[in-house]
């Protein structure tokens, strides 16, 4: 799990795109214009453009200095952690990042000026790419079942690993907006059916492709053994054969994932390859997908347990799922709760996620809980609640 919000969005339905708009607005002002371009403007327009560029340059310098301090203090905390030295209050920044307060971007001017050429960008892979690579690289097609059945299997796996309904449904409510389906990718809105992927984050817990590589590398062997045990218990020959084949695929994926390395940067790199994307498709499989996502949450919970926090609320679990185990856990510690959220996110991630702006770590947790409370009333979350209740009633 990365320790940065730049990984996703994981706030797939909350992020408003402010970070993207910010980059768009300053790009023309930062570019050089020819005399021919500037001659298209009136004196008044050139004055406004100049004033904007000057103000933006001053702001950017202040922001750069601010984030340099944030990173320096973050490096100090890392060193102290390695040396087992407790962090102190002075190891955090308490002021929020500077907010631009100069003249607005002169949009009418930018509409006249020649637009700077855009650097070619590599499109983000989508579900269709994950499925295609799974077929091409491993000869595998996930078992796709209706969303309600996927939720039922997901809830059963969560109960097996001793998660509460509140923990799981609150994570789901924030990560998917309370109505996401099992194949939801960050940037996809199930209500409008509009798709504009903002990351590879996928499913109820919004795992990235790098997360899938890490989970399969570490737990793929045990997943395969479970599939083989399921095959041995079924009387359906076709189903048994499919389970055994899937077990072989999972073992192959696990070997490839381990060969890629066991550190997060290696998982990120491999997650962007065709084989890494193929592994990500396993999240869609009705047998293995729930195991992968719940295992990811279980690993996050284990991090907190090892550091002396054996019980997590749904909001606390989601804080760690969102920001990464170490930074998310750090935000939950008493000494960090009053520090600016900028201490815990990389600059790009902070700027892309308005929900973290101008908040302390404690205020972010409060805001997340408010969002989860609201989203619990939506159809997907209500269905999840009812499925957990049904499973609980069967065991009582």
């Amino acid at each position: 799990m990365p320790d940065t919000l730049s990984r996703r969005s994981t706030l797939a339905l909350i992020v408003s795109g402010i970070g993207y708009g910010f980059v768009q607005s300053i790009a023309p002002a930062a570019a050089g214009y020819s005399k021919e371009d500037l001659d298209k403007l009136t004196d008044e327009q050139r004055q406004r453009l100049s004033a904007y560029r000057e103000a933006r340059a001053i702001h950017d310098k202040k922001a750069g200095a601010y984030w340099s301090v944030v990173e320096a203090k973050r490096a100090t905390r890392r060193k102290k952690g390695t040396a087992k030295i407790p962090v102190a209050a002075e190891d955090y920044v308490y002021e929020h990042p500077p907010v631009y307060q100069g003249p607005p971007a002169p949009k009418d001017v930018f509409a006249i000026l020649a637009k700077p050429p855009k650097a070619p960008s590599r499109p983000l892979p989508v579900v269709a790419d994950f499925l295609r690579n799974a077929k091409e690289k491993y000869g595998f097609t996930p078992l796709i079942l209706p969303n309600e059945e996927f939720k039922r299997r997901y809830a059963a796996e969560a109960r097996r690993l001793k998660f509460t309904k509140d923990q799981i449904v609150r994570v789901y409510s924030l990560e998917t907006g309370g109505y996401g389906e099992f194949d939801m990718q960050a940037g996809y809105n199930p209500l409008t059916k509009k798709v504009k992927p903002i990351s590879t984050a996928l499913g109820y817990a919004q795992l990235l492709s790098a997360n899938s590589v890490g989970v399969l590398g570490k737990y793929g062997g045990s997943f395969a053994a479970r599939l083989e045990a399921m095959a041995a218990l079924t009387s359906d020959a076709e189903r048994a054969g499919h389970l055994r084949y899937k077990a072989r695929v999972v073992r192959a994926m696990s070997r490839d994932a381990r060969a890629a390395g066991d550190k997060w940067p290696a998982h990120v790199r491999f997650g962007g390859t065709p084989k890494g994307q193929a592994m990500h498709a396993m999240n869609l499989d009705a047998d293995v997908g729930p195991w992968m996502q719940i295992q990811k949450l279980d690993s996050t919970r284990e991090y907190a347990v090892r550091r002396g926090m054996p019980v997590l609320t749904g909001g606390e679990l989601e804080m760690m799922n969102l920001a990464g185990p170490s930074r998310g856990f750090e935000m939950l510690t008493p000494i960090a709760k009053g520090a600016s959220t900028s201490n815990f996110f990389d600059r790009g991630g902070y700027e892309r996620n308005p929900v973290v702006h101008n908040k302390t770590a404690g205020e972010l947790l409060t805001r997340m809980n408010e969002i989860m409370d609201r989203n619990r009333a939506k159809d997907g979350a209500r269905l999840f609640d009812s499925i957990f209740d049904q499973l609980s009633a069967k065991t009582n």
Side-chain angles (χ1 to χ4, degrees):
M1 177 86 180
D3 281 318
T4 171
L5 261 182
S6 60
R7 64 185 179 95
R8 59 163 165 228
S9 80
T10 160
L11 296 178
L13 300 178
I14 302 170
V15 176
S16 68
I18 287 177
Y20 175 71
F22 173 80
V23 174
Q24 279 191 316
S25 67
I26 68 172
Y33 292 103
S34 67
K35 183 177 183 300
E36 180 181 2
D37 282 335
L38 295 176
D39 284 345
K40 299 175 184 177
L41 306 177
T42 66
D43 289 343
E44 186 270 341
Q45 287 174 325
R46 281 192 288 270
Q47 289 173 0
R48 284 192 289 121
L49 175 62
S50 178
Y52 173 72
R53 294 181 68 176
E54 182 178 351
R56 178 59 75 179
I58 292 171
H59 168 76
D60 289 347
K61 186 174 181 179
K62 289 180 180 178
Y66 173 90
W67 284 101
S68 292
V69 173
V70 168
E71 184 52 45
K73 288 184 177 287
R74 184 178 295 146
T76 296
R77 298 198 304 274
R78 283 197 296 264
K79 289 179 182 177
K80 284 189 171 184
T82 300
K84 308 296 184 184
I85 300 173
V87 298
E90 58 266 25
D91 296 324
Y92 292 97
V93 173
Y94 292 85
E95 299 79 13
H96 298 304
V99 177
Y100 176 71
Q101 296 179 330
K107 295 181 180 179
D108 60 320
V109 175
F110 293 151
I112 296 171
L113 296 172
K115 294 182 180 179
K118 289 185 177 180
S121 59
R122 182 180 178 183
L124 280 168
V126 295
V127 170
D129 298 308
F130 307 146
L131 293 171
R132 185 188 69 254
N133 282 307
K135 186 68 174 177
E136 291 178 356
K137 299 302 176 181
Y138 293 99
F140 175 71
T141 299
L143 173 63
I144 304 296
L145 295 180
N147 187 60
E148 183 170 350
E149 177 59 23
F150 198 101
K151 272 188 168 72
R152 190 175 305 281
R153 295 182 180 206
Y154 195 97
E157 181 67 5
R159 284 169 52 83
R160 189 183 76 84
L161 291 185
K162 310 301 182 184
F163 280 100
T164 67
K165 174 179 74 171
D166 189 67
Q167 286 174 319
I168 296 303
V169 182
R170 289 184 82 78
V171 170
Y172 167 86
S173 294
L174 190 117
E175 292 287 0
T176 75
Y179 48 65
E181 300 189 352
F182 73 94
D183 59 348
M184 177 181 173
Q185 184 173 355
Y188 171 68
N189 188 319
L191 300 183
T192 64
K193 305 300 182 184
K194 290 183 179 179
V195 182
K196 186 176 182 181
I198 59 176
S199 82
T200 59
L202 188 64
Y204 298 153
Q206 290 286 281
L207 270 64
L208 295 164
S209 58
N211 294 131
S212 296
V213 172
V215 169
L216 285 170
K218 188 171 183 179
Y219 302 100
S222 63
F223 292 165
R226 288 179 68 180
L227 291 168
E228 290 163 347
M230 289 166 61
L233 292 173
T234 182
S235 58
D236 185 331
E238 183 177 356
R239 168 71 169 153
H242 181 75
L243 288 168
R244 293 190 185 97
Y245 179 74
K246 191 182 304 186
R248 292 195 293 272
V249 170
V250 170
R251 290 190 191 280
M253 288 182 172
S254 185
R255 287 193 298 270
D256 289 342
R258 291 196 304 273
D262 62 355
K263 302 297 184 184
W264 177 253
H267 296 166
V268 171
R269 288 191 296 271
F270 195 76
T273 67
K275 280 194 171 183
Q277 292 179 25
M279 292 178 190
H280 204 36
M282 194 61 78
N283 279 282
L284 307 175
D285 183 80
D287 291 318
V288 181
W291 303 349
M292 291 176 62
Q293 294 178 51
I294 295 299
Q295 182 58 65
K296 163 65 173 55
L297 295 177
D298 190 49
S299 298
T300 298
R301 179 177 59 180
E302 287 177 357
Y303 184 97
V305 171
R306 292 196 301 269
R307 282 153 182 78
M309 189 179 291
V311 179
L312 293 173
T313 66
E316 290 166 343
L317 178 63
E318 173 53 18
M319 180 82 95
M320 295 179 67
N321 185 52
L322 173 69
S326 65
R327 291 189 189 176
F329 180 82
E330 187 180 7
M331 282 193 282
L332 298 175
T333 60
I335 196 171
K337 287 185 178 180
S340 171
T341 51
S342 59
N343 289 276
F344 313 103
F345 305 124
D346 294 339
R347 181 177 179 178
Y350 179 95
E351 291 177 342
R352 280 192 295 272
N353 290 272
V355 75
V356 309
H357 290 183
N358 301 316
K359 293 181 181 66
T360 65
E363 289 168 344
L364 176 60
L365 180 60
T366 297
R367 179 56 181 150
M368 288 169 54
N369 275 309
E370 291 171 352
I371 294 169
M372 287 184 280
D373 287 342
R374 182 185 68 219
N375 290 346
R376 283 291 290 270
K378 295 182 180 177
D379 289 345
R382 292 172 61 190
L383 174 60
F384 232 152
D385 274 328
S386 67
I387 288 172
F388 269 95
D389 292 342
Q390 292 165 16
L391 292 176
S392 179
K394 288 181 178 179
T395 59
N396 292 336

